[in-house]
Amino acid sequence: MTSKTILVVEDETSVTKLYVQFLEPEYTVLTAETAQEGIDILLGQDEATDAGAAEIDTVLLDRRLPDAPGEEVLDLIEEHGFDCRVAMVTGVEPDFDIVDMGFDLYIVKPVTRSELLEAVGTLFVRSEYGGLLREAASLASKRALLESEKSDAELEASEEYSTLLDRMSELDDELLDLAESLSSDDYRVMFRDLGND
């Protein structure tokens, strides 16, 4: 069984070394210090995969990079349809702008070894879900994060938050329709980790 490959895009060398220490040898870890290096590695994975190298399964991405914001890496992943999960691991406190970002988890530094390994494990579980389940898990994480950081009045006044709740309601209906076609065993396997976010 081949090792999962994680790309760490982080400009602080000491933090990168720590993440590599946490993740190896269980995972193959690639590193980039700038948004452009991260983009180059992601764009190069198509050729590398054709040559038999492993593709990137997960990206641990800082929001503040020396050449560009981490969101540019997120945009590239979405534009090219790369099948990888993304955790923003950053010192930037979350705000309502996270609603439109294409990440799966948002983790505020500093991060312990157990927190990082748990996050990576969660991302790999999510990679097994279909598109609806991934989206539902991502939105649930964003809702929980915003509800922990913002007041009720701020939440009620936010159009982005209202849109997020509307989409979650739509997904609930779609997932209920999907659940009717699943056996009880399939249902348990596919949904067992959604409540942990």
Side-chain angles (χ1 to χ4, degrees):
M1 182 174 157
T2 58
S3 171
K4 299 277 191 184
T5 301
I6 299 172
L7 171 61
V8 175
V9 186
E10 166 62 60
D11 63 319
E12 292 184 42
T13 304
S14 60
V15 174
T16 300
K17 287 180 179 176
L18 194 61
Y19 292 173
V20 170
Q21 182 182 352
F22 289 165
L23 297 167
E24 288 184 341
E26 187 174 351
Y27 303 107
T28 299
V29 183
L30 306 176
T31 62
E33 293 184 353
T34 65
Q36 188 58 55
E37 285 180 21
I39 287 169
D40 290 345
I41 290 171
L42 286 160
L43 290 175
Q45 79 173 331
D46 286 335
E47 296 173 17
T49 302
D50 291 343
E55 64 181 59
I56 294 166
D57 300 291
T58 295
V59 179
L60 303 180
L61 178 63
D62 195 0
R63 283 189 74 175
R64 285 192 188 129
L65 295 163
D67 58 333
E71 287 90 320
E72 290 194 13
V73 179
L74 278 178
D75 291 343
L76 176 101
I77 290 169
E78 186 174 338
E79 287 167 15
H80 287 262
F82 291 131
D83 187 24
C84 59
R85 307 282 57 83
V86 180
M88 298 294 276
V89 186
T90 178
V92 179
E93 292 294 327
D95 206 342
F96 289 112
D97 62 345
I98 67 166
V99 171
D100 293 325
M101 293 182 193
F103 61 81
D104 296 274
L105 288 175
Y106 195 100
I107 304 161
V108 178
K109 295 175 185 174
V111 182
T112 65
R113 180 180 187 276
S114 62
E115 287 170 337
L116 192 69
L117 291 175
E118 181 180 344
V120 167
T122 297
L123 293 175
F124 287 139
V125 168
R126 287 186 185 176
S127 70
E128 297 171 9
Y129 297 160
L132 288 178
L133 291 174
R134 271 200 302 270
E135 184 181 359
S138 176
L139 292 178
S141 292
K142 291 174 183 178
R143 182 184 70 182
L145 184 64
L146 289 172
E147 288 176 352
S148 72
E149 297 287 333
K150 301 295 182 182
S151 70
D152 289 345
E154 288 175 310
L155 293 171
E156 289 174 13
S158 168
E159 186 175 322
E160 297 95 333
Y161 179 72
S162 177
T163 301
L164 181 147
L165 293 182
D166 289 344
R167 179 57 185 150
M168 289 186 75
S169 179
E170 291 171 8
L171 279 172
D172 283 346
D173 292 340
E174 293 177 48
L175 289 170
L176 283 173
D177 290 342
L178 173 65
E180 290 176 4
S181 66
L182 298 174
S183 71
S184 58
D185 285 343
D186 290 336
Y187 186 87
R188 277 195 295 274
V189 168
M190 294 181 75
F191 287 87
R192 67 183 170 203
D193 292 302
L194 276 178
N196 293 331
D197 297 320

